[in-house]
Amino acid sequence: AQKITQTQPGMFVQEKEAVTLDCTYDTSDQSYGLFWYKQPSSGEMIFLIYQGSYDEQNATEGRYSLNFQKARKSANLVISASQLGDSAMYFCAIYSDNNNDMRFGAGTRLTVKP
Amino acid sequence: GAVVSQHPSWVICKSGTSVKIECRSLDFQATTMFWYRQFPKQSLMLMATSNEGSKATYEQGVEKDKFLINHASLTLSTLTVTSAHPEDSSFYICIARKDNEQFFGPGTRLTVL
């Protein structure tokens, strides 16, 4: 089964600065998708960004970009120009086409300081 | 479009009772629905994968007889926590999959007294 690892339980960043949240994965599948979600204290999961395993270019969505390094099996999330509202839990997830399942990392709690 | 609802959004029950949680895709047909459990300050743990008309595939360590999953149609999957105990108190989230996208339900907070 595939596995997702987020090694940073907590991160702090100054408002308006950029921050990178780490994510590595382990899968034997050739076809998979990588996702990042934000979970504020209210509990709902908010989709941020997606990277397909066959996508050659790094995904970008507004202030979010995904640094996809396939050979290293990493999919780090970069948030530029941090805002106070970015404070939340962030989860990396992998979907396997072969297994038809989706697994999440342990999460990183991001705190943006004013 | 692509809205997923869960009902109830929260429930409090006595130990030993059964609780049914519904997950509905409101405006699309979901080929697959996933059920997750999230304990406070922890990640989402996959419990089972459910395809319409077939038996759910449970993760290792998840008791099939305790967490009954029924996926009767392409728009509805239900999770029944049978004989609930305080340790079953958690946030239960469903994800409905359509094509290559995943859509989250808002979650159900279960508290067992």
Side-chain angles (χ1 to χ4, degrees):
Chain A
Q2 55 277 6
K3 185 180 174 183
I4 282 270
T5 303
Q6 292 179 254
T7 58
Q8 305 155 315
M11 288 283 286
F12 290 89
V13 64
Q14 205 67 38
E15 192 179 7
K16 298 181 185 176
E17 299 201 341
V19 64
T20 298
L21 305 184
D22 295 341
C23 173
T24 57
Y25 60 93
D26 187 17
T27 182
S28 56
D29 293 349
Q30 297 300 312
S31 179
Y32 52 89
L34 296 157
F35 300 80
W36 276 93
Y37 294 93
K38 172 184 177 181
Q39 188 180 41
S41 55
S42 53
E44 81 271 24
M45 297 290 281
I46 302 168
F47 167 76
L48 296 178
I49 198 165
Y50 165 79
Q51 180 88 38
S53 58
Y54 293 115
D55 295 340
E56 294 187 351
Q57 294 215 332
N58 287 344
T60 60
E61 290 282 351
R63 294 187 298 112
Y64 305 108
S65 60
L66 199 152
N67 185 0
F68 182 44
Q69 298 189 39
K70 192 170 182 177
R72 296 180 59 185
K73 293 189 175 179
S74 76
N76 298 341
L77 176 71
V78 180
I79 305 175
S80 62
S82 297
Q83 302 172 356
L84 296 178
D86 293 335
S87 294
M89 279 292 288
Y90 288 80
F91 292 99
C92 182
I94 183 169
Y95 173 80
S96 162
D97 285 334
N98 191 42
N99 296 330
N100 188 31
D101 65 17
M102 187 161 179
R103 298 182 187 274
F104 290 78
T108 296
R109 179 165 296 281
L110 177 66
T111 303
V112 181
K113 297 198 277 188
Chain B
V3 177
V4 177
S5 71
Q6 279 185 241
H7 178 79
S9 54
W10 59 270
V11 57
I12 301 173
C13 68
K14 291 183 179 179
S15 185
T17 59
S18 294
V19 176
K20 180 187 280 188
I21 302 170
E22 293 185 349
C23 176
R24 290 182 187 272
S25 55
L26 298 183
D27 49 2
F28 67 99
Q29 293 184 327
T31 51
T32 303
M33 286 185 175
F34 304 105
W35 285 97
Y36 293 84
R37 180 168 51 182
Q38 185 181 29
F39 292 110
K41 300 188 178 181
Q42 294 188 25
S43 185
L44 283 73
M45 302 304 297
L46 180 62
M47 299 175 68
T49 301
S50 163
N51 294 298
E52 184 263 343
S54 62
K55 289 184 180 179
T57 302
Y58 288 80
E59 289 297 293
Q60 195 171 9
V62 177
E63 299 174 57
K64 300 179 186 181
D65 295 333
K66 180 167 182 64
F67 298 99
L68 300 176
I69 291 174
N70 184 280
H71 196 159
S73 76
L74 286 171
T75 60
L76 174 64
S77 177
T78 60
L79 166 67
T80 301
V81 183
T82 61
S83 187
H85 290 284
E87 58 265 30
D88 298 323
S89 298
S90 187
F91 193 50
Y92 292 85
I93 300 174
C94 73
I95 298 177
R97 179 171 172 81
K98 178 195 174 189
D99 299 329
N100 290 324
E101 294 186 81
Q102 280 71 229
F103 303 98
F104 280 78
T108 296
R109 190 163 301 282
L110 170 64
T111 302
V112 185
L113 302 177

